[in-house]
Structures are given as structure tokens and as C-alpha cells.
């Protein structure tokens, strides 16, 4: 049997002269939560819509367990579109049962699942209300119920966290983790990078329709030129100059940030030794950039400089473009 | 996926979509009350017509005295000629005036037969005025005839039997007006039913687009399944409403005997009306579904629905103007063979018996035959346009695909 992997394989899509996706590839293993990040208009929604068949790709395809994700297979996908969509004048319960049935459930199954999931997501009391009478946050919960209630084998969620209150964010995170633990590949897009960093097993960053980074946060941090920070209060200016394969990329009072481009194991030890020769060393640690920092770094590259943008101090890339490791 | 299974899945998807449409409508209070009002209205109208049809104008009571009793029969005859039933009652002058005053009598004729006086409460009622005028002329004429030495009764006899020879230049159209009216009503009913249900289809398509629920739906079913299911569901509701209305009409007619004297096979006419509704609805609702997929907002629905409605109005107006007077005119005959026009014109030709069997066979075949092409074409437009929100999608773009 083919491995249970959701593969986005070389997707390309143009809207007229706008190239929305340029051969974008990544894959999500069963049981994995994949965070899909990128600027507005980078191509996240386009990729997800192609996966759900509501948009046709110019090239490439989406496969699940080795087979193209066709209509039959898509009924087993839980989908939350970026543009939330429910019938405004239909009651919550009836609407969810209808959507469950479109996914292939029997009336009894759909009713039972609707009852269980509305209870879990805290909208059980609103089953007999029209959707338009609910607050946006509660409509969002109903939308998530619609994506989850048919026990999907794959979850594809476009911005599931936008507009949720902190409690709902926790519920949503728990549900996604639970589904992933049950063996479901989960893909979601988000601009809340701290949340993505905390929740996702792997992350993909898309820019201008191309995947520029794919991997776990640890993998994304592992670069060919790791950075170290040294706090040496007694060190004179230029103390690190002349160290082979080491470049000073930042200085904040007594803290020096260095980029070690040497690939030799233990190359950073030379930096520590040099620092110790200047006197006290209060801190010596690898720089562990947050996803937000990694993201800014990747996305800012090769973009036309804006007049108001801060000077580009980041220099050359700490990144290499990675293929899809999966 | 083998073809049989694919068909089963499609049928299930369309059934679910159609079922939702039906459930949504039958639970809609406006829909329920409109239907109830129409059905009750038909029954009340039938009852009123049957109650008043036999005795539309109440009889006028006119009192005569012993002296004027001879004027009674000519007055009743004058009333009959002008459509006013008159009853006479012989009374004495005094009691007669009492009865006029209390309203039992509408008028009292006193004096003597050659120079009568009409006594009324306030004035001669409009329904009696003409009868009295004829009576007065009659009296004046009789007086002159007598003065000239003639016999008034003999002259009256000759006058009554006099007639002109009539030579018709053309054969009158052998059309019973009641048949043409029945046929025209069928066409009007079809027009109204298609206009209402077509509007529902258009609004439904745009509602799904506006609320973006269409994206969620189309991740599980194909665009044409969604479109066809919607058209089927709303069509079933429209047909059900039409059957209810026609059934109420037939039932009321049978119960009250209103249509008993109309020379028409009313059941066949109703069945034809239902058939033409189904065919006309299928054609127009598919076009409306595709057209309304081009726009994203309810306020834009009118801009795509109006042109289609204008096309519907051509046969409709031809039917209620020319068709009702001359159902076999070339205009009506030729237009009735055009697929999109037949549903509104054929009922009038069928009801008046001015349609040949081959013409019926041809138009039904054309209408049924055009449907697969229409399904393909509108399905393509719908599928290409329904997910494109925002600005209106041009028809050319929708046909070409994205």
C-alpha cells in the first residue's frame, strides 16, 4: 500500500498574467501538522483550492496515498475555505447534517456527528438558530464542525485560527493535534507564526508562488552558516576580526552576533576561545531564531526594497533552498 | 471508478441538493402562505362565480294597480330585453305607495294605462330606467298606431319578427371564445409559474455564491450536479404548486359546476399545461442558473434575469393579444414552433384545437431534444463562473473557461 502522504506536486497556476503558483511542491505525512505560511497573495489559498478541486491547476497534481485526489477522495477531506461559507438562512443543525450527507454520511451518522461535534466545539446550544444569527466566532466554530464532522482522512484548513478568541484557539489546536495523532495529515495556513511554531511538526514558507522553505522548525534553523551570540564585556572592538570563516553580523553593546560559515565541526569553539582571550564571557549561545524571524528573513529576500524599509543588515542568506524532505 | 457507480454518486448528490431546496421552500413561511392564499382564493372565486352566475341581477319589484295592470307584461318584456329581470305585483294605489316607501317595491305604476305615473321612493333606479323608457316609447308608438287606424298588437308582432339578411364575406373563425380564454389562462399560468420559479433558481445560485458556501459544496460535488439538483428541487416545488393550483381549480369547478357548459376536455388541457410548464421551466431555469452564476451579488441578479424574462414576454404578449383572438394566425403558429416560445403559445392552440398532431410532436421533440445541449452549455458556463466571485464574469470568459 502506498504511504499515507498528502503530496502537493509541482503545482502551477496562472490567473491571466499573474503567476500565482510556480511549480510549488511539498508533502504532508499522515499524523503530521503542516503549517503553511506566506504573505497575502503568495499562493497558499490557490494551492489549497487546487487540492479541493475548486480550482484547476495549469500543471502538477495533488495526491493522497499515491493516487490523485479526485472527487471521490475529496469527500474524505475536511476543508475550511478561506472565504467562510455557510447558508446564512439555514439552521446550524440542519446545515451541518446536509454538509455531512454531501460527504457521504447516512442521515443517522450525520445527525450523530453533528450533535457530537457541536457539543465539542461549544455551539450545541445554537443548533436551531440560523447561521446568520451567530457571532462571527461562532460561525467559525460551525465552519470547523463542517470540516471535521465526517471524520475526514485529510484536513486542509485555510486560516482556521483567524477571528477566533483565545479559548477557541486552544480548542482548535487540541482538535488539530488530536486528528493528527489519529493519523490524519493536517495542513493549515496562518499568519499567526507563534501559533504555527508551537503547533506544527513541519512548516512550509511560500513566496510569490514558490516554496522557499519546507521542513521542521529545527530543520529550518539548521543553516550552513549558524549564528552565535557572545556577550564579552571586556572585549575590544574588532576582537573577532580575523577569525577564519567568521563574520560579525551584529553588535549590541557587549553582545556580538557572529555568523560561522566554516563547515568544520566545532568551528564555533574557535570563536569561544577568542572571546575568552578578551576576558569575561557572560553568554555564549547559538542564535535560535523564531519562526517569525526565519519567515521575515526568507520573505524579505529578493523583494524590492521599500523606501521606508530598515537597512538590510541581514546580509546574505542564512538559508539554502531545501527540497521537500518528505 | 466505473460509470455505474459514478452515475449513482451523481444521482445521490443531485438528490441531496434537490432535497435541500424542497425542504427549504416548504418550510418557508412566505411560500406556505402564498400557496394557501392562492388555493383559498381559487375556491372562493369558484364559489362566488357559481353563486352569482345564475342570478346575477336581482329582480326588480314593480307594483301595478288594477288600472295599470295591462302595462305589466310589456314592462317585463322590456326588462328581459335589457337584461333586467322584473316582477310585477298588483296592489292598490295606497298600499303600493306604502310598499314603495318601505322598500318592498322598487317602483309603483299608478294613474291609468294610457297616461301612467311612476311612483318611486327617491328616483328611478338605473336598472329600471331603461325598461321604463322602452315602455314609454312603446305607449307613445301604440298611441300613434291607434291614431293612424292600425292595430298596435299586429305591428308589434311584425316588428318582433323583422330581421336583416346578413351576408358574411369571410367564414367566421370556428373558435369558441371560452376555449381561447382557457388556453390563454394556461399560457399565463405557465408564464407566471416559470417567472417565479426561475427567479428562485437565479436567487438560489447567487445566494450560494454570495455566501461562498458554493466552495464548500463544490469540494464534494461537481458543479453540474449542484446546478441540476437545484433546478430539479425548485422545479419539483414549482410543479407541486402548479398541480395544487390546477387541482384546486378542477376540484372547485367540478364541485360548483362553473365550467360544466364549457366545450373542452379540461383534464387534457391541464395535463398539457403541466407538460409545457415542465419543458419551459427546464429550458429557462437552466439558462437562468447559468446567467446568474456570472454575478456575485443579489442586487445584480436583475441584470442577468431581465434579458431572459424579456425573451419570455415575447410569446406571452403574442398569446394574450393575437393568440386569444386568432390562435391560427401565422404569427402565433410560427412562434409556437420555436423551442423557447412553445410553452406559452401551445396551450392556447391546444385548447382551441388549432394545432396539428405533427406540430405538437415536433415542438415537444424539439424542446426535449434541446435540453441535453442546454445542460451541457449551461453546465459549462455555470462551472466556469460560479467560483469566480467579485466582478461580473463575462459570458465569453465563462464559455472559454479559466
Amino acid at each position: 500500500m502506498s504511504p499515507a502522504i498528502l503530496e502537493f506536486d509541482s503545482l502551477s497556476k496562472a490567473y491571466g498574467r499573474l503567476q500565482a503558483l510556480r511549480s510549488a511542491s511539498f508533502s504532508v505525512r499522515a499524523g503530521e501538522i503542516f503549517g503553511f505560511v506566506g504573505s497575502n497573495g503568495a499562493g497558499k489559498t490557490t494551492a489549497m483550492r487546487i487540492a479541493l478541486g475548486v480550482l484547476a491547476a495549469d500543471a502538477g497534481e495533488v495526491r493522497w496515498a499515491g493516487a490523485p485526489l479526485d472527487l471521490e477522495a475529496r469527500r474524505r477531506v475536511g476543508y475550511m475555505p478561506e472565504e467562510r461559507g455557510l447558508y446564512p438562512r439555514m439552521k446550524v443543525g440542519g446545515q451541518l447534517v446536509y454538509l455531512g450527507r454531501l460527504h457521504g454520511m447516512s442521515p443517522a451518522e450525520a445527525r450523530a456527528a453533528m450533535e457530537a461535534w457541536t457539543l465539542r466545539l461549544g455551539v450545541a446550544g445554537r443548533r436551531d438558530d440560523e447561521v446568520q444569527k451567530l457571532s462571527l466566532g461562532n460561525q467559525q466554530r460551525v465552519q470547523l464542525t463542517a470540516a471535521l464532522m465526517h471524520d475526514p482522512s485529510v484536513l486542509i484548513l485555510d486560516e482556521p485560527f483567524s477571528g477566533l478568541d483565545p479559548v477557541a484557539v486552544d480548542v482548535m489546536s487540541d482538535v488539530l493535534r488530536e486528528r493528527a495523532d489519529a493519523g490524519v495529515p493536517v495542513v493549515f495556513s496562518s499568519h499567526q507564526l507563534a501559533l504555527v511554531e508551537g503547533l506544527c511538526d513541519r512548516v512550509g514558507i511560500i513566496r510569490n508562488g514558490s516554496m522557499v522553505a519546507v521542513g521542521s522548525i529545527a530543520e529550518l534553523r539548521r543553516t550552513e552558516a549558524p549564528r552565535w551570540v557572545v556577550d564579552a564585556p571586556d572585549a575590544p572592538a574588532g576582537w573577532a576580526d580575523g577569525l577564519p570563516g567568521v563574520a560579525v553580523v551584529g553588535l549590541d553593546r557587549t553582545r556580538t552576533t557572529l555568523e560561522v560559515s566554516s563547515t568544520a565541526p566545532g568551528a564555533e569553539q574557535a570563536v569561544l576561545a577568542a572571546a575568552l582571550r578578551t576576558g569575561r564571557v557572560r553568554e555564549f549561545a547559538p542564535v535560535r531564531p523564531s519562526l517569525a524571524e526565519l519567515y521575515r528573513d526568507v520573505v524579505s529576500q529578493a523583494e524590492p526594497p521599500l523606501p521606508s524599509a530598515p537597512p538590510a543588515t541581514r546580509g546574505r542568506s542564512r538559508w539554502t533552498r531545501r527540497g521537500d524532505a518528505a | 471508478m466505473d460509470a455505474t457507480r459514478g452515475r449513482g454518486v451523481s444521482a445521490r448528490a443531485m438528490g441531496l441538493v434537490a432535497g435541500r431546496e424542497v425542504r427549504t421552500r416548504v418550510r418557508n413561511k412566505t411560500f406556505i402562505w402564498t400557496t394557501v392564499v392562492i388555493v383559498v382564493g381559487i375556491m372562493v372565486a369558484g364559489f362566488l362565480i357559481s353563486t352569482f352566475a345564475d342570478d346575477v341581477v336581482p329582480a326588480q319589484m314593480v307594483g301595478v294597480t288594477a288600472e295599470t295592470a295591462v302595462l305589466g307584461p310589456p314592462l317585463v318584456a322590456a326588462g328581459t330585453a335589457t337584461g333586467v329581470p322584473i316582477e310585477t305585483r298588483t296592489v292598490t294605489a295606497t298600499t303600493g305607495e306604502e310598499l314603495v316607501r318601505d322598500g318592498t317595491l322598487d317602483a309603483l305604476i299608478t294613474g291609468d294605462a294610457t297616461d301612467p305615473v311612476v311612483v318611486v321612493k327617491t328616483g328611478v333606479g338605473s336598472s329600471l330606467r331603461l325598461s321604463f323608457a322602452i315602455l314609454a316609447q312603446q305607449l307613445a308608438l301604440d298611441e300613434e298606431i291607434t291614431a293612424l287606424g292600425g292595430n298596435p298588437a299586429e305591428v308589434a308582432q311584425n316588428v318582433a319578427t323583422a330581421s336583416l339578411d346578413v351576408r358574411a364575406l369571410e367564414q367566421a373563425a370556428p373558435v369558441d371564445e371560452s376555449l381561447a380564454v382557457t388556453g390563454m389562462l394556461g399560457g399565463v399560468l405557465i408564464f407566471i409559474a416559470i417567472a417565479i420559479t426561475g427567479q428562485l433558481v437565479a436567487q438560489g445560485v447567487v445566494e450560494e455564491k454570495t455566501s461562498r458556501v458554493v466552495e464548500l459544496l463544490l469540494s464534494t460535488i461537481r458543479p453540474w450536479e449542484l446546478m441540476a439538483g437545484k433546478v430539479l428541487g425548485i422545479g419539483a416545488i414549482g410543479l407541486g404548486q402548479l398541480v395544487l393550483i390546477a387541482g384546486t381549480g378542477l376540484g372547485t369547478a367540478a364541485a360548483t359546476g362553473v365550467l360544466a357548459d364549457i366545450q373542452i376536455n379540461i383534464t387534457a388541457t391541464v395535463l398539457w399545461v403541466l407538460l409545457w410548464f415542465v419543458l419551459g421551466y427546464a429550458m429557462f431555469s437552466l439558462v437562468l442558473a447559468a446567467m446568474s452564476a456570472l454575478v456575485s451579488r443579489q442586487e445584480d441578479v436583475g441584470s442577468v434575469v431581465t434579458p431572459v424574462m424579456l425573451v419570455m414576454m415575447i410569446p406571452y404578449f403574442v398569446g394574450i393579444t393575437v393568440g386569444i383572438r386568432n390562435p391560427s394566425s401565422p404569427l402565433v403558429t410560427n412562434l409556437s414552433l420555436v423551442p423557447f416560445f412553445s410553452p406559452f403559445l401551445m396551450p392556447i392552440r391546444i385548447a382551441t384545437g388549432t394545432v396539428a398532431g405533427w406540430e405538437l410532436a415536433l415542438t415537444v421533440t424539439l424542446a426535449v431534444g434541446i435540453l441535453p445541449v442546454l445542460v451541457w452549455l449551461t453546465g459549462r458556463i455555470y462551472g466556469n463562473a460560479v467560483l469566480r466571485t467579485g466582478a461580473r464574469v463575462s459570458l465569453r470568459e465563462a464559455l472559454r473557461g479559466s
Side-chain angles (χ1 to χ4, degrees):
Chain A
M1 185 188 155
S2 307
I5 297 178
L6 178 67
E7 297 166 275
F8 290 70
D9 187 6
S10 314
L11 298 183
S12 291
K13 173 75 186 175
Y15 299 108
R17 290 168 61 195
L18 176 76
Q19 192 70 35
L21 283 179
R22 305 161 200 267
S23 196
S25 294
F26 62 91
S27 58
V28 187
R29 282 168 283 226
E32 188 174 79
I33 301 183
F34 186 91
F36 197 17
V37 299
S39 334
N40 296 323
K44 304 184 296 291
T45 297
T46 301
M48 292 186 172
R49 296 182 85 192
I50 288 172
L52 269 300
V54 292
L55 207 59
D58 297 337
E61 66 173 0
V62 179
R63 286 185 299 272
W64 163 238
L69 197 60
D70 61 7
L71 188 74
E72 190 78 357
R74 283 201 297 273
R75 292 210 170 96
R76 304 287 308 132
V77 174
Y79 176 47
M80 193 160 168
E82 181 197 30
E83 302 274 7
R84 307 294 184 239
L86 294 165
Y87 287 104
R89 279 191 286 274
M90 217 173 154
K91 286 177 182 168
V92 170
Q95 172 140 233
L96 287 170
V97 169
Y98 172 62
L99 293 172
R101 297 213 58 209
L102 283 181
H103 280 98
M105 301 175 98
S106 74
E109 283 170 346
R111 180 143 291 279
M114 180 276 289
E115 284 172 1
W117 279 102
T118 48
L119 203 60
R120 167 114 197 240
L121 293 174
V123 283
R126 312 303 302 271
R127 282 173 197 155
D128 291 327
D129 289 331
E130 288 179 358
V131 167
Q132 62 183 359
K133 298 205 173 114
L134 271 59
S135 68
L136 281 179
N138 277 338
Q139 289 188 18
Q140 180 98 324
R141 290 169 191 241
V142 175
Q143 192 89 50
L144 181 65
T145 310
L148 291 169
M149 62 178 284
H150 57 282
D151 191 21
S153 322
V154 173
L155 274 177
I156 299 178
L157 313 171
D158 204 350
E159 302 271 0
F161 292 99
S162 77
L164 288 187
D165 63 47
V167 176
V169 166
D170 287 346
V171 172
M172 174 82 83
S173 303
D174 289 348
V175 169
L176 295 192
R177 178 45 68 196
E178 178 202 283
R179 298 321 301 154
D181 289 347
V184 171
V186 178
V187 190
F188 74 91
S189 67
S190 181
H191 291 301
Q192 288 154 277
L193 298 177
L195 206 133
V196 172
E197 187 169 357
L199 188 60
C200 292
D201 302 303
R202 288 168 71 245
V203 174
I205 302 179
I206 189 167
R207 193 190 64 213
N208 289 337
S210 302
M211 298 302 294
V212 286
V214 178
S216 67
I217 304 279
E219 282 171 331
L220 295 189
R221 285 190 183 123
R222 201 183 305 134
T223 70
E224 286 175 12
R227 289 182 176 193
W228 294 80
V229 65
V230 179
D231 187 0
D234 308 326
W239 65 271
D241 294 350
L243 288 171
V246 175
V248 174
V249 294
L251 183 63
D252 176 19
R253 293 166 196 250
T254 58
R255 287 161 59 91
T256 310
T257 307
L258 307 102
E259 197 168 89
V260 181
S261 56
S262 165
T263 50
E268 78 283 357
Q269 296 303 319
V271 176
L272 177 60
L276 284 169
R277 279 196 295 276
T278 68
R280 294 176 293 159
V281 173
R282 290 197 296 226
E283 184 188 353
F284 178 67
V287 174
R288 298 175 61 84
S290 68
L291 179 61
E293 288 168 309
L294 292 172
Y295 172 79
R296 263 184 230 112
D297 213 44
V298 168
V299 168
S300 65
Q301 281 173 51
E303 279 193 358
L306 297 168
S308 60
T313 54
R314 291 189 179 88
R316 66 200 166 86
S317 173
R318 289 185 286 115
W319 293 81
T320 53
R321 184 167 163 180
R322 310 181 75 97
D324 191 353
Chain B
M1 184 166 60
D2 66 284
T4 333
R5 189 160 153 230
R7 267 201 295 281
V9 170
S10 286
R12 182 179 184 278
M14 282 190 286
L16 283 171
V17 173
R20 192 198 80 88
E21 295 294 342
V22 172
R23 272 196 306 281
T24 308
R25 307 295 161 197
V26 297
R27 283 182 192 161
N28 182 296
K29 288 197 181 67
T30 318
F31 175 84
I32 294 170
W33 282 110
T34 315
T35 311
V36 168
V37 166
I38 292 173
V39 166
V40 171
I42 290 171
M43 294 197 288
V44 169
F47 176 74
L48 289 180
I49 290 170
S50 71
T51 308
F52 292 110
D54 310 329
D55 192 25
V56 181
V57 185
Q60 298 288 316
M61 291 301 294
V62 176
V64 288
T65 57
E67 293 80 35
T68 58
V70 66
L71 296 178
L75 180 65
V76 171
T80 309
T82 57
V84 179
I86 296 174
E87 283 177 27
T88 55
R89 186 169 156 190
T90 309
V91 291
T92 65
T94 16
T95 50
E97 279 189 30
E98 285 299 314
L99 292 173
V100 168
R101 197 165 276 121
D102 73 14
T104 311
L105 290 179
D106 294 295
L108 170 69
I109 304 175
T110 55
D112 62 63
T114 49
D115 189 15
V117 175
V118 175
V119 178
V120 293
K121 195 172 176 187
T122 51
V124 180
S126 59
S127 44
L128 276 179
R129 198 173 297 142
L130 193 56
S131 306
F132 279 131
I134 291 170
L135 182 62
Q137 287 165 6
Q138 188 75 53
L139 290 177
L141 205 56
D142 287 358
E143 215 170 293
E144 288 298 317
I145 291 165
T146 313
L148 290 170
N151 180 352
E154 212 168 276
V155 173
Q157 177 75 29
N158 290 341
V159 167
T161 54
S163 70
L164 289 178
D165 285 337
V166 177
R167 184 166 62 89
L169 292 176
E170 277 179 35
Q171 193 74 33
V175 172
D176 183 338
E177 200 159 279
S178 66
L179 300 184
V181 169
T182 310
M184 187 204 68
L185 284 179
V188 170
L189 199 59
I190 289 173
F191 176 81
I192 294 173
I194 292 180
I196 292 174
T197 46
Q199 186 77 25
L200 285 179
V201 170
Q203 281 170 355
V205 167
V206 177
E207 185 199 18
E208 283 170 359
K209 237 186 129 169
T210 311
S211 68
R212 314 290 176 113
V213 74
V214 67
E215 182 162 343
L216 203 54
L217 302 177
L218 291 189
S219 66
T220 59
I221 57 175
R222 296 181 185 86
W224 69 263
E225 291 168 348
L226 178 58
M227 185 183 81
K230 181 174 284 291
V231 164
L232 284 176
I234 294 177
I237 280 288
L239 183 64
Q241 209 176 12
L242 203 56
V243 166
L244 194 64
I245 289 170
T248 309
L250 286 183
T252 309
T256 58
V258 167
L259 298 179
D261 51 350
I262 288 186
Q263 302 286 309
I264 194 168
N265 185 345
I266 197 81
T267 313
T269 306
V270 166
L271 288 179
W272 274 113
V273 164
L274 293 181
L275 176 74
W276 281 115
F277 165 76
V278 169
L279 292 174
Y281 168 79
M283 289 189 273
F284 280 98
S285 64
L286 284 172
V287 171
L288 284 169
M291 294 300 287
S292 43
L294 300 175
V295 299
S296 302
R297 294 176 302 171
Q298 287 293 352
E299 56 264 41
D300 292 335
V301 174
S303 69
V304 286
V305 168
T306 308
V308 182
M309 293 288 173
L310 288 178
V311 170
M312 276 174 63
M313 282 186 188
I314 296 170
Y316 171 74
F317 279 117
V318 168
I320 62 170
T321 53
V322 183
I324 187 163
R325 287 204 200 94
N326 190 0
S328 46
S329 82
L331 180 67
V332 177
T333 314
N334 291 335
L335 281 186
S336 73
L337 300 179
V338 178
F340 280 88
F341 295 166
S342 325
F344 311 100
L345 290 172
M346 273 300 174
I348 205 167
R349 296 190 64 199
I350 293 168
T352 52
T354 54
V355 64
W358 69 266
E359 286 177 308
L360 269 182
L362 175 70
T363 48
V364 172
T365 311
L366 273 179
V368 172
I370 204 175
L371 283 180
V373 182
L374 219 46
V375 167
W376 176 82
L377 192 68
T378 55
R380 184 177 168 84
I381 296 172
Y382 179 88
N384 284 331
V386 76
L387 284 164
R388 293 166 68 170
T389 47
R392 181 175 170 168
V393 184
S394 81
L395 197 54
R396 191 184 304 169
E397 279 175 86
L399 275 170
R400 200 176 48 216
S402 50

